[in-house]
Amino acid sequence: MTFDQMRTLLVVHEMGSALRAARVLGREQSSVQKQLDTLNRNSQTLCGEVLTVRQGRGKDFLFTPTGEATVELARLTFEKWLESIHWSRRRLGRMLTVGTTEFTLPIVSRAWNLVSEEFRQREVEFKVAHVRTKDLWSRLETRQVDLICGSIVSTPEGDLRLREYEVIEYARGQALLLTNLPEAELPGTPVETSRLGGVPLVVPPAGLVADLLATWYGAGFRDRLTVVADIDDVHYGLSLLRSGFVRGCMIVTGSIGRGMAAQDDPAAAPLRTIALHDDLEPKAELMTGAFVRRADLERYDAGHPLNRLWAAVKEDVRTYTPLA
């Protein structure tokens, strides 16, 4: 079985028919069908069962148990092969993948400006991947990215996961409450974190804020809070508060909170920030920074693109005013 035949089988399995697979592959339907016929003959000879069975005009192919097993084997083969190719390209400095959240993209952008010309001359393939905060650790631990910029919840005891990583810290501080409630309902004095259960909150299911609440209230924090709206995206939560459709508070970073409170839009509900006083254990802060596996930096020489980019991030943090 050739790689091309395996690819054809995978596309047919995904699309259902030779015609739809041919459109995806940019081939004639007869070419796809010819490959399927060859695969079926070989499978019948080797295993005693074909891979696919026609079910009539207009109907999708039926994949036999042998066919399903072969599809899975082909999928794993491609994944392992591509993983090996990508690893070799990274080892040789031919490819670099950087993950960043929306709010930490400027960090990567400024560092890239310091090395972009060098990377172009060396023909380094540089990729930027959008990473949601909730996926930050999984992207690092599964080696989907070489370097990542984002925010995490930090406690005084430290995060054990950081032991294997080099970290460049850009900002550290307490979260804020952003609210559209008037002072008569919620005074501007700092709100103790132990009193958050009595405050109407707009809460995401996962991510930085969810991690912060779980640090204070445990994994079942929703059962101990007054949740007035569930959101999947911080922008939607901000829109909810500005519209006045939902009356309550959001836990946000200092930069987001102050930026939203400073906006002057007469058509929107006025927003203001309130400080949080952390009176629960463990004490928790929000930390924004860049993260890279220490073993990767040590594995490569100083001229490797990963070490060159890491040095550029270090240079940036020395010359740039840290995020507030």
Side-chain angles (χ1 to χ4, degrees):
M1 181 183 289
T2 67
F3 267 47
D4 189 51
Q5 289 173 334
M6 283 195 290
R7 182 179 66 158
T8 297
L9 186 67
L10 287 173
V11 176
V12 170
H13 185 267
E14 181 178 347
M15 303 307 298
S17 74
L19 177 60
R20 291 194 290 272
R23 290 170 179 167
V24 171
L25 295 168
R27 294 179 177 175
E28 295 294 328
Q29 180 180 355
S30 59
S31 172
V32 172
Q33 187 60 57
K34 184 178 179 180
Q35 283 192 317
L36 288 179
D37 292 341
T38 300
L39 288 169
N40 278 332
R41 285 197 304 272
N42 291 341
S43 179
Q44 181 70 56
T45 300
L46 292 170
C47 305
E49 184 177 48
V50 297
L51 304 180
T52 63
V53 178
R54 292 186 183 183
Q55 298 192 90
R57 186 177 180 85
K59 294 184 178 181
D60 289 352
F61 279 105
L62 173 67
F63 276 72
T64 65
T66 300
E68 292 289 351
T70 304
V71 165
E72 184 60 24
L73 178 61
R75 182 177 290 110
L76 291 173
T77 299
F78 269 107
E79 288 177 356
K80 291 294 184 182
W81 181 73
L82 288 173
E83 181 181 325
S84 177
I85 292 296
H86 289 161
W87 173 250
S88 294
R89 295 190 70 196
R90 285 174 172 170
R91 178 177 57 82
L92 296 171
R94 304 294 297 175
M95 184 177 77
L96 196 64
T97 302
V98 175
T100 174
T101 64
E102 177 182 353
F103 299 105
T104 56
L105 180 58
I107 297 176
V108 174
S109 178
R110 292 190 302 270
W112 164 249
N113 288 335
L114 298 176
V115 296
S116 58
E117 185 57 34
E118 175 189 340
F119 281 17
R120 289 192 185 100
Q121 291 180 2
R122 295 172 59 179
E123 298 183 346
V124 177
E125 182 182 354
F126 184 75
K127 294 184 177 182
V128 178
H130 178 209
V131 176
R132 302 289 293 271
T133 302
K134 64 183 179 66
D135 300 322
L136 187 146
W137 285 112
S138 64
R139 288 292 192 97
L140 270 175
E141 291 168 353
T142 57
R143 297 181 176 271
Q144 296 180 48
V145 295
D146 299 293
L147 180 153
I148 203 165
C149 292
S151 299
I152 64 170
V153 174
S154 176
T155 62
E157 294 78 11
D159 195 316
L160 294 178
R161 292 173 296 188
L162 290 178
R163 290 182 177 179
E164 299 178 3
Y165 296 90
E166 291 292 330
V167 181
I168 296 176
E169 188 173 312
Y170 268 74
R172 177 183 291 271
Q174 295 290 335
L176 296 175
L177 273 183
L178 182 68
T179 184
N180 58 8
L181 297 175
E183 285 209 35
E185 293 185 45
L186 187 63
T189 54
V191 175
E192 296 176 337
T193 52
S194 61
R195 291 179 46 224
L196 285 175
V199 177
L201 291 174
V202 175
V203 178
L208 192 64
V209 172
D211 290 346
L212 194 60
L213 290 171
T215 301
W216 290 326
Y217 287 89
F221 62 85
R222 287 176 170 276
D223 297 332
R224 303 176 61 185
L225 300 174
T226 304
V227 179
V228 295
D230 290 293
I231 59 171
D232 286 330
D233 181 81
V234 63
H235 294 292
Y236 184 66
L238 297 174
S239 296
L240 278 179
L241 292 183
R242 295 187 68 191
S243 69
F245 181 65
V246 168
R247 301 176 72 254
C249 308
M250 274 182 66
I251 298 176
V252 295
T253 62
S255 57
I256 293 177
R258 286 185 287 272
M260 292 300 299
Q263 292 185 10
D264 185 15
D265 185 354
L271 301 179
R272 60 192 178 93
T273 59
I274 303 174
L276 283 172
H277 172 62
D278 192 356
D279 63 337
L280 294 173
E281 294 294 339
K283 306 296 182 188
E285 292 182 312
L286 302 182
M287 191 268 276
T288 297
F291 308 84
V292 68
R293 287 177 293 273
R294 184 178 296 112
D296 287 349
L297 293 179
E298 296 172 349
R299 180 180 296 113
Y300 307 130
D301 60 41
H304 189 278
L306 180 59
N307 279 304
R308 293 289 298 119
L309 183 62
W310 189 246
V313 175
K314 285 184 176 180
E315 178 64 24
D316 175 65
V317 78
R318 283 195 293 265
T319 58
Y320 183 75
T321 303
L323 300 173

PDB file of all heavy atoms in Angstrom, residues 210-242:
ATOM      1  N   ALA A 210     -11.635  30.808  35.343  1.00  0.00           N
ATOM      2  CA  ALA A 210     -12.107  29.560  35.943  1.00  0.00           C
ATOM      3  C   ALA A 210     -11.011  28.939  36.817  1.00  0.00           C
ATOM      4  O   ALA A 210     -11.296  28.418  37.906  1.00  0.00           O
ATOM      5  CB  ALA A 210     -12.539  28.584  34.854  1.00  0.00           C
ATOM      6  N   ASP A 211      -9.763  28.998  36.356  1.00  0.00           N
ATOM      7  CA  ASP A 211      -8.650  28.483  37.166  1.00  0.00           C
ATOM      8  C   ASP A 211      -8.509  29.279  38.463  1.00  0.00           C
ATOM      9  O   ASP A 211      -8.225  28.721  39.523  1.00  0.00           O
ATOM     10  CB  ASP A 211      -7.346  28.555  36.381  1.00  0.00           C
ATOM     11  CG  ASP A 211      -7.290  27.553  35.243  1.00  0.00           C
ATOM     12  OD1 ASP A 211      -8.133  26.636  35.228  1.00  0.00           O
ATOM     13  OD2 ASP A 211      -6.415  27.703  34.375  1.00  0.00           O
ATOM     14  N   LEU A 212      -8.702  30.595  38.370  1.00  0.00           N
ATOM     15  CA  LEU A 212      -8.597  31.452  39.546  1.00  0.00           C
ATOM     16  C   LEU A 212      -9.689  31.111  40.559  1.00  0.00           C
ATOM     17  O   LEU A 212      -9.422  30.958  41.761  1.00  0.00           O
ATOM     18  CB  LEU A 212      -8.707  32.912  39.110  1.00  0.00           C
ATOM     19  CG  LEU A 212      -8.300  33.994  40.110  1.00  0.00           C
ATOM     20  CD1 LEU A 212      -6.846  33.840  40.522  1.00  0.00           C
ATOM     21  CD2 LEU A 212      -8.524  35.377  39.505  1.00  0.00           C
ATOM     22  N   LEU A 213     -10.914  30.967  40.083  1.00  0.00           N
ATOM     23  CA  LEU A 213     -12.026  30.637  40.974  1.00  0.00           C
ATOM     24  C   LEU A 213     -11.861  29.242  41.577  1.00  0.00           C
ATOM     25  O   LEU A 213     -12.198  29.017  42.745  1.00  0.00           O
ATOM     26  CB  LEU A 213     -13.347  30.730  40.208  1.00  0.00           C
ATOM     27  CG  LEU A 213     -13.779  32.149  39.825  1.00  0.00           C
ATOM     28  CD1 LEU A 213     -14.981  32.106  38.891  1.00  0.00           C
ATOM     29  CD2 LEU A 213     -14.097  32.979  41.065  1.00  0.00           C
ATOM     30  N   ALA A 214     -11.335  28.307  40.780  1.00  0.00           N
ATOM     31  CA  ALA A 214     -11.109  26.957  41.290  1.00  0.00           C
ATOM     32  C   ALA A 214     -10.021  26.955  42.373  1.00  0.00           C
ATOM     33  O   ALA A 214     -10.073  26.159  43.312  1.00  0.00           O
ATOM     34  CB  ALA A 214     -10.716  26.029  40.148  1.00  0.00           C
ATOM     35  N   THR A 215      -9.050  27.853  42.254  1.00  0.00           N
ATOM     36  CA  THR A 215      -8.013  27.967  43.279  1.00  0.00           C
ATOM     37  C   THR A 215      -8.620  28.409  44.601  1.00  0.00           C
ATOM     38  O   THR A 215      -8.247  27.926  45.671  1.00  0.00           O
ATOM     39  CB  THR A 215      -6.936  28.979  42.839  1.00  0.00           C
ATOM     40  OG1 THR A 215      -6.358  28.543  41.607  1.00  0.00           O
ATOM     41  CG2 THR A 215      -5.832  29.094  43.884  1.00  0.00           C
ATOM     42  N   TRP A 216      -9.568  29.328  44.535  1.00  0.00           N
ATOM     43  CA  TRP A 216     -10.189  29.855  45.750  1.00  0.00           C
ATOM     44  C   TRP A 216     -11.303  28.963  46.284  1.00  0.00           C
ATOM     45  O   TRP A 216     -11.435  28.770  47.490  1.00  0.00           O
ATOM     46  CB  TRP A 216     -10.766  31.241  45.477  1.00  0.00           C
ATOM     47  CG  TRP A 216      -9.750  32.305  45.276  1.00  0.00           C
ATOM     48  CD1 TRP A 216      -8.536  32.400  45.876  1.00  0.00           C
ATOM     49  CD2 TRP A 216      -9.858  33.447  44.411  1.00  0.00           C
ATOM     50  NE1 TRP A 216      -7.877  33.526  45.449  1.00  0.00           N
ATOM     51  CE2 TRP A 216      -8.662  34.194  44.556  1.00  0.00           C
ATOM     52  CE3 TRP A 216     -10.834  33.917  43.539  1.00  0.00           C
ATOM     53  CZ2 TRP A 216      -8.429  35.371  43.851  1.00  0.00           C
ATOM     54  CZ3 TRP A 216     -10.612  35.087  42.838  1.00  0.00           C
ATOM     55  CH2 TRP A 216      -9.412  35.810  42.994  1.00  0.00           C
ATOM     56  N   TYR A 217     -12.136  28.429  45.382  1.00  0.00           N
ATOM     57  CA  TYR A 217     -13.366  27.745  45.809  1.00  0.00           C
ATOM     58  C   TYR A 217     -13.401  26.260  45.479  1.00  0.00           C
ATOM     59  O   TYR A 217     -14.385  25.596  45.793  1.00  0.00           O
ATOM     60  CB  TYR A 217     -14.577  28.421  45.146  1.00  0.00           C
ATOM     61  CG  TYR A 217     -14.913  29.768  45.736  1.00  0.00           C
ATOM     62  CD1 TYR A 217     -14.342  30.934  45.240  1.00  0.00           C
ATOM     63  CD2 TYR A 217     -15.805  29.882  46.801  1.00  0.00           C
ATOM     64  CE1 TYR A 217     -14.644  32.181  45.779  1.00  0.00           C
ATOM     65  CE2 TYR A 217     -16.125  31.122  47.353  1.00  0.00           C
ATOM     66  CZ  TYR A 217     -15.535  32.260  46.832  1.00  0.00           C
ATOM     67  OH  TYR A 217     -15.843  33.491  47.366  1.00  0.00           O
ATOM     68  N   GLY A 218     -12.377  25.733  44.827  1.00  0.00           N
ATOM     69  CA  GLY A 218     -12.372  24.326  44.470  1.00  0.00           C
ATOM     70  C   GLY A 218     -13.007  24.080  43.113  1.00  0.00           C
ATOM     71  O   GLY A 218     -13.580  24.981  42.488  1.00  0.00           O
ATOM     72  N   ALA A 219     -12.905  22.816  42.654  1.00  0.00           N
ATOM     73  CA  ALA A 219     -13.390  22.469  41.322  1.00  0.00           C
ATOM     74  C   ALA A 219     -14.883  22.739  41.151  1.00  0.00           C
ATOM     75  O   ALA A 219     -15.348  23.064  40.065  1.00  0.00           O
ATOM     76  CB  ALA A 219     -13.083  20.999  41.029  1.00  0.00           C
ATOM     77  N   GLY A 220     -15.654  22.627  42.230  1.00  0.00           N
ATOM     78  CA  GLY A 220     -17.094  22.877  42.132  1.00  0.00           C
ATOM     79  C   GLY A 220     -17.468  24.314  42.461  1.00  0.00           C
ATOM     80  O   GLY A 220     -18.493  24.560  43.103  1.00  0.00           O
ATOM     81  N   PHE A 221     -16.655  25.268  42.019  1.00  0.00           N
ATOM     82  CA  PHE A 221     -16.870  26.668  42.408  1.00  0.00           C
ATOM     83  C   PHE A 221     -18.217  27.206  41.966  1.00  0.00           C
ATOM     84  O   PHE A 221     -18.778  28.101  42.601  1.00  0.00           O
ATOM     85  CB  PHE A 221     -15.732  27.548  41.859  1.00  0.00           C
ATOM     86  CG  PHE A 221     -15.615  27.585  40.365  1.00  0.00           C
ATOM     87  CD1 PHE A 221     -16.373  28.471  39.607  1.00  0.00           C
ATOM     88  CD2 PHE A 221     -14.726  26.750  39.706  1.00  0.00           C
ATOM     89  CE1 PHE A 221     -16.248  28.520  38.232  1.00  0.00           C
ATOM     90  CE2 PHE A 221     -14.589  26.800  38.327  1.00  0.00           C
ATOM     91  CZ  PHE A 221     -15.361  27.683  37.591  1.00  0.00           C
ATOM     92  N   ARG A 222     -18.775  26.683  40.880  1.00  0.00           N
ATOM     93  CA  ARG A 222     -20.058  27.194  40.399  1.00  0.00           C
ATOM     94  C   ARG A 222     -21.175  27.006  41.421  1.00  0.00           C
ATOM     95  O   ARG A 222     -22.092  27.815  41.498  1.00  0.00           O
ATOM     96  CB  ARG A 222     -20.451  26.495  39.091  1.00  0.00           C
ATOM     97  CG  ARG A 222     -19.625  26.947  37.908  1.00  0.00           C
ATOM     98  CD  ARG A 222     -19.972  26.178  36.649  1.00  0.00           C
ATOM     99  NE  ARG A 222     -19.319  26.815  35.525  1.00  0.00           N
ATOM    100  CZ  ARG A 222     -19.809  27.845  34.870  1.00  0.00           C
ATOM    101  NH1 ARG A 222     -20.968  28.344  35.229  1.00  0.00           N
ATOM    102  NH2 ARG A 222     -19.151  28.393  33.873  1.00  0.00           N
ATOM    103  N   ASP A 223     -21.092  25.932  42.178  1.00  0.00           N
ATOM    104  CA  ASP A 223     -22.129  25.657  43.166  1.00  0.00           C
ATOM    105  C   ASP A 223     -22.057  26.625  44.350  1.00  0.00           C
ATOM    106  O   ASP A 223     -23.007  26.717  45.123  1.00  0.00           O
ATOM    107  CB  ASP A 223     -21.992  24.220  43.680  1.00  0.00           C
ATOM    108  CG  ASP A 223     -22.199  23.189  42.575  1.00  0.00           C
ATOM    109  OD1 ASP A 223     -22.934  23.496  41.615  1.00  0.00           O
ATOM    110  OD2 ASP A 223     -21.610  22.104  42.671  1.00  0.00           O
ATOM    111  N   ARG A 224     -20.955  27.340  44.484  1.00  0.00           N
ATOM    112  CA  ARG A 224     -20.778  28.242  45.624  1.00  0.00           C
ATOM    113  C   ARG A 224     -20.858  29.715  45.213  1.00  0.00           C
ATOM    114  O   ARG A 224     -20.669  30.599  46.043  1.00  0.00           O
ATOM    115  CB  ARG A 224     -19.427  27.959  46.281  1.00  0.00           C
ATOM    116  CG  ARG A 224     -19.269  26.511  46.730  1.00  0.00           C
ATOM    117  CD  ARG A 224     -17.892  26.237  47.299  1.00  0.00           C
ATOM    118  NE  ARG A 224     -17.625  27.065  48.482  1.00  0.00           N
ATOM    119  CZ  ARG A 224     -16.467  27.083  49.115  1.00  0.00           C
ATOM    120  NH1 ARG A 224     -15.448  26.343  48.663  1.00  0.00           N
ATOM    121  NH2 ARG A 224     -16.276  27.859  50.172  1.00  0.00           N
ATOM    122  N   LEU A 225     -21.119  29.961  43.928  1.00  0.00           N
ATOM    123  CA  LEU A 225     -21.176  31.331  43.418  1.00  0.00           C
ATOM    124  C   LEU A 225     -22.550  31.646  42.865  1.00  0.00           C
ATOM    125  O   LEU A 225     -23.364  30.753  42.599  1.00  0.00           O
ATOM    126  CB  LEU A 225     -20.122  31.524  42.321  1.00  0.00           C
ATOM    127  CG  LEU A 225     -18.661  31.305  42.719  1.00  0.00           C
ATOM    128  CD1 LEU A 225     -17.764  31.379  41.493  1.00  0.00           C
ATOM    129  CD2 LEU A 225     -18.222  32.333  43.757  1.00  0.00           C
ATOM    130  N   THR A 226     -22.806  32.935  42.665  1.00  0.00           N
ATOM    131  CA  THR A 226     -24.046  33.381  42.034  1.00  0.00           C
ATOM    132  C   THR A 226     -23.733  33.707  40.583  1.00  0.00           C
ATOM    133  O   THR A 226     -23.259  34.794  40.245  1.00  0.00           O
ATOM    134  CB  THR A 226     -24.608  34.634  42.737  1.00  0.00           C
ATOM    135  OG1 THR A 226     -24.781  34.359  44.123  1.00  0.00           O
ATOM    136  CG2 THR A 226     -25.931  35.050  42.123  1.00  0.00           C
ATOM    137  N   VAL A 227     -23.961  32.730  39.697  1.00  0.00           N
ATOM    138  CA  VAL A 227     -23.622  32.881  38.281  1.00  0.00           C
ATOM    139  C   VAL A 227     -24.853  33.389  37.536  1.00  0.00           C
ATOM    140  O   VAL A 227     -25.871  32.702  37.455  1.00  0.00           O
ATOM    141  CB  VAL A 227     -23.137  31.547  37.679  1.00  0.00           C
ATOM    142  CG1 VAL A 227     -22.819  31.719  36.196  1.00  0.00           C
ATOM    143  CG2 VAL A 227     -21.920  31.032  38.436  1.00  0.00           C
ATOM    144  N   VAL A 228     -24.759  34.600  36.979  1.00  0.00           N
ATOM    145  CA  VAL A 228     -25.885  35.185  36.253  1.00  0.00           C
ATOM    146  C   VAL A 228     -25.753  35.007  34.751  1.00  0.00           C
ATOM    147  O   VAL A 228     -26.714  35.208  34.003  1.00  0.00           O
ATOM    148  CB  VAL A 228     -26.039  36.690  36.588  1.00  0.00           C
ATOM    149  CG1 VAL A 228     -26.412  36.874  38.040  1.00  0.00           C
ATOM    150  CG2 VAL A 228     -24.769  37.470  36.247  1.00  0.00           C
ATOM    151  N   ALA A 229     -24.564  34.624  34.276  1.00  0.00           N
ATOM    152  CA  ALA A 229     -24.378  34.381  32.840  1.00  0.00           C
ATOM    153  C   ALA A 229     -23.158  33.503  32.627  1.00  0.00           C
ATOM    154  O   ALA A 229     -22.132  33.670  33.282  1.00  0.00           O
ATOM    155  CB  ALA A 229     -24.209  35.689  32.078  1.00  0.00           C
ATOM    156  N   ASP A 230     -23.295  32.545  31.701  1.00  0.00           N
ATOM    157  CA  ASP A 230     -22.171  31.698  31.302  1.00  0.00           C
ATOM    158  C   ASP A 230     -21.660  32.188  29.952  1.00  0.00           C
ATOM    159  O   ASP A 230     -22.447  32.432  29.025  1.00  0.00           O
ATOM    160  CB  ASP A 230     -22.613  30.239  31.168  1.00  0.00           C
ATOM    161  CG  ASP A 230     -22.932  29.628  32.517  1.00  0.00           C
ATOM    162  OD1 ASP A 230     -22.007  29.461  33.318  1.00  0.00           O
ATOM    163  OD2 ASP A 230     -24.120  29.322  32.760  1.00  0.00           O
ATOM    164  N   ILE A 231     -20.358  32.310  29.817  1.00  0.00           N
ATOM    165  CA  ILE A 231     -19.765  32.801  28.575  1.00  0.00           C
ATOM    166  C   ILE A 231     -18.656  31.868  28.130  1.00  0.00           C
ATOM    167  O   ILE A 231     -18.035  31.190  28.942  1.00  0.00           O
ATOM    168  CB  ILE A 231     -19.216  34.236  28.734  1.00  0.00           C
ATOM    169  CG1 ILE A 231     -18.146  34.275  29.845  1.00  0.00           C
ATOM    170  CG2 ILE A 231     -20.333  35.225  29.020  1.00  0.00           C
ATOM    171  CD1 ILE A 231     -17.389  35.580  29.929  1.00  0.00           C
ATOM    172  N   ASP A 232     -18.407  31.831  26.828  1.00  0.00           N
ATOM    173  CA  ASP A 232     -17.292  31.063  26.286  1.00  0.00           C
ATOM    174  C   ASP A 232     -16.142  31.967  25.857  1.00  0.00           C
ATOM    175  O   ASP A 232     -15.058  31.487  25.559  1.00  0.00           O
ATOM    176  CB  ASP A 232     -17.745  30.242  25.067  1.00  0.00           C
ATOM    177  CG  ASP A 232     -18.595  29.053  25.470  1.00  0.00           C
ATOM    178  OD1 ASP A 232     -18.381  28.530  26.575  1.00  0.00           O
ATOM    179  OD2 ASP A 232     -19.471  28.656  24.681  1.00  0.00           O
ATOM    180  N   ASP A 233     -16.411  33.267  25.808  1.00  0.00           N
ATOM    181  CA  ASP A 233     -15.421  34.196  25.284  1.00  0.00           C
ATOM    182  C   ASP A 233     -15.468  35.483  26.083  1.00  0.00           C
ATOM    183  O   ASP A 233     -16.557  35.987  26.396  1.00  0.00           O
ATOM    184  CB  ASP A 233     -15.721  34.473  23.804  1.00  0.00           C
ATOM    185  CG  ASP A 233     -14.723  35.408  23.185  1.00  0.00           C
ATOM    186  OD1 ASP A 233     -13.638  34.970  22.805  1.00  0.00           O
ATOM    187  OD2 ASP A 233     -15.033  36.615  23.110  1.00  0.00           O
ATOM    188  N   VAL A 234     -14.301  36.039  26.404  1.00  0.00           N
ATOM    189  CA  VAL A 234     -14.246  37.250  27.216  1.00  0.00           C
ATOM    190  C   VAL A 234     -14.927  38.424  26.512  1.00  0.00           C
ATOM    191  O   VAL A 234     -15.562  39.261  27.156  1.00  0.00           O
ATOM    192  CB  VAL A 234     -12.780  37.604  27.566  1.00  0.00           C
ATOM    193  CG1 VAL A 234     -11.968  37.922  26.324  1.00  0.00           C
ATOM    194  CG2 VAL A 234     -12.728  38.762  28.546  1.00  0.00           C
ATOM    195  N   HIS A 235     -14.830  38.464  25.181  1.00  0.00           N
ATOM    196  CA  HIS A 235     -15.448  39.576  24.454  1.00  0.00           C
ATOM    197  C   HIS A 235     -16.970  39.548  24.595  1.00  0.00           C
ATOM    198  O   HIS A 235     -17.613  40.594  24.687  1.00  0.00           O
ATOM    199  CB  HIS A 235     -15.053  39.527  22.979  1.00  0.00           C
ATOM    200  CG  HIS A 235     -13.590  39.758  22.748  1.00  0.00           C
ATOM    201  ND1 HIS A 235     -12.988  40.976  22.973  1.00  0.00           N
ATOM    202  CD2 HIS A 235     -12.606  38.919  22.331  1.00  0.00           C
ATOM    203  CE1 HIS A 235     -11.700  40.881  22.694  1.00  0.00           C
ATOM    204  NE2 HIS A 235     -11.455  39.647  22.313  1.00  0.00           N
ATOM    205  N   TYR A 236     -17.540  38.346  24.601  1.00  0.00           N
ATOM    206  CA  TYR A 236     -18.985  38.245  24.772  1.00  0.00           C
ATOM    207  C   TYR A 236     -19.385  38.709  26.165  1.00  0.00           C
ATOM    208  O   TYR A 236     -20.398  39.396  26.343  1.00  0.00           O
ATOM    209  CB  TYR A 236     -19.440  36.799  24.549  1.00  0.00           C
ATOM    210  CG  TYR A 236     -20.937  36.627  24.626  1.00  0.00           C
ATOM    211  CD1 TYR A 236     -21.771  37.204  23.679  1.00  0.00           C
ATOM    212  CD2 TYR A 236     -21.516  35.900  25.663  1.00  0.00           C
ATOM    213  CE1 TYR A 236     -23.142  37.047  23.743  1.00  0.00           C
ATOM    214  CE2 TYR A 236     -22.885  35.741  25.737  1.00  0.00           C
ATOM    215  CZ  TYR A 236     -23.696  36.322  24.776  1.00  0.00           C
ATOM    216  OH  TYR A 236     -25.066  36.184  24.850  1.00  0.00           O
ATOM    217  N   GLY A 237     -18.591  38.343  27.164  1.00  0.00           N
ATOM    218  CA  GLY A 237     -18.880  38.806  28.521  1.00  0.00           C
ATOM    219  C   GLY A 237     -18.823  40.315  28.629  1.00  0.00           C
ATOM    220  O   GLY A 237     -19.676  40.936  29.272  1.00  0.00           O
ATOM    221  N   LEU A 238     -17.822  40.930  28.000  1.00  0.00           N
ATOM    222  CA  LEU A 238     -17.716  42.392  28.015  1.00  0.00           C
ATOM    223  C   LEU A 238     -18.902  43.029  27.318  1.00  0.00           C
ATOM    224  O   LEU A 238     -19.436  44.048  27.773  1.00  0.00           O
ATOM    225  CB  LEU A 238     -16.405  42.818  27.345  1.00  0.00           C
ATOM    226  CG  LEU A 238     -15.118  42.356  28.042  1.00  0.00           C
ATOM    227  CD1 LEU A 238     -13.907  42.722  27.201  1.00  0.00           C
ATOM    228  CD2 LEU A 238     -15.005  42.964  29.436  1.00  0.00           C
ATOM    229  N   SER A 239     -19.330  42.417  26.216  1.00  0.00           N
ATOM    230  CA  SER A 239     -20.496  42.946  25.494  1.00  0.00           C
ATOM    231  C   SER A 239     -21.761  42.847  26.339  1.00  0.00           C
ATOM    232  O   SER A 239     -22.614  43.742  26.307  1.00  0.00           O
ATOM    233  CB  SER A 239     -20.677  42.199  24.169  1.00  0.00           C
ATOM    234  OG  SER A 239     -19.580  42.406  23.309  1.00  0.00           O
ATOM    235  N   LEU A 240     -21.890  41.751  27.083  1.00  0.00           N
ATOM    236  CA  LEU A 240     -23.052  41.590  27.957  1.00  0.00           C
ATOM    237  C   LEU A 240     -23.117  42.717  28.990  1.00  0.00           C
ATOM    238  O   LEU A 240     -24.186  43.317  29.217  1.00  0.00           O
ATOM    239  CB  LEU A 240     -23.000  40.246  28.674  1.00  0.00           C
ATOM    240  CG  LEU A 240     -23.478  39.008  27.921  1.00  0.00           C
ATOM    241  CD1 LEU A 240     -23.311  37.780  28.795  1.00  0.00           C
ATOM    242  CD2 LEU A 240     -24.939  39.150  27.499  1.00  0.00           C
ATOM    243  N   LEU A 241     -21.981  43.011  29.600  1.00  0.00           N
ATOM    244  CA  LEU A 241     -21.963  44.061  30.619  1.00  0.00           C
ATOM    245  C   LEU A 241     -22.219  45.434  30.000  1.00  0.00           C
ATOM    246  O   LEU A 241     -22.964  46.243  30.554  1.00  0.00           O
ATOM    247  CB  LEU A 241     -20.620  44.060  31.355  1.00  0.00           C
ATOM    248  CG  LEU A 241     -20.323  42.847  32.241  1.00  0.00           C
ATOM    249  CD1 LEU A 241     -18.982  43.041  32.952  1.00  0.00           C
ATOM    250  CD2 LEU A 241     -21.423  42.622  33.274  1.00  0.00           C
ATOM    251  N   ARG A 242     -21.596  45.703  28.856  1.00  0.00           N
ATOM    252  CA  ARG A 242     -21.766  47.011  28.227  1.00  0.00           C
ATOM    253  C   ARG A 242     -23.191  47.223  27.730  1.00  0.00           C
ATOM    254  O   ARG A 242     -23.686  48.340  27.717  1.00  0.00           O
ATOM    255  CB  ARG A 242     -20.784  47.162  27.063  1.00  0.00           C
ATOM    256  CG  ARG A 242     -19.323  47.183  27.482  1.00  0.00           C
ATOM    257  CD  ARG A 242     -18.430  47.508  26.322  1.00  0.00           C
ATOM    258  NE  ARG A 242     -18.622  48.878  25.874  1.00  0.00           N
ATOM    259  CZ  ARG A 242     -18.124  49.379  24.751  1.00  0.00           C
ATOM    260  NH1 ARG A 242     -17.424  48.600  23.962  1.00  0.00           N
ATOM    261  NH2 ARG A 242     -18.336  50.630  24.424  1.00  0.00           N
TER     262      ARG A 242
END
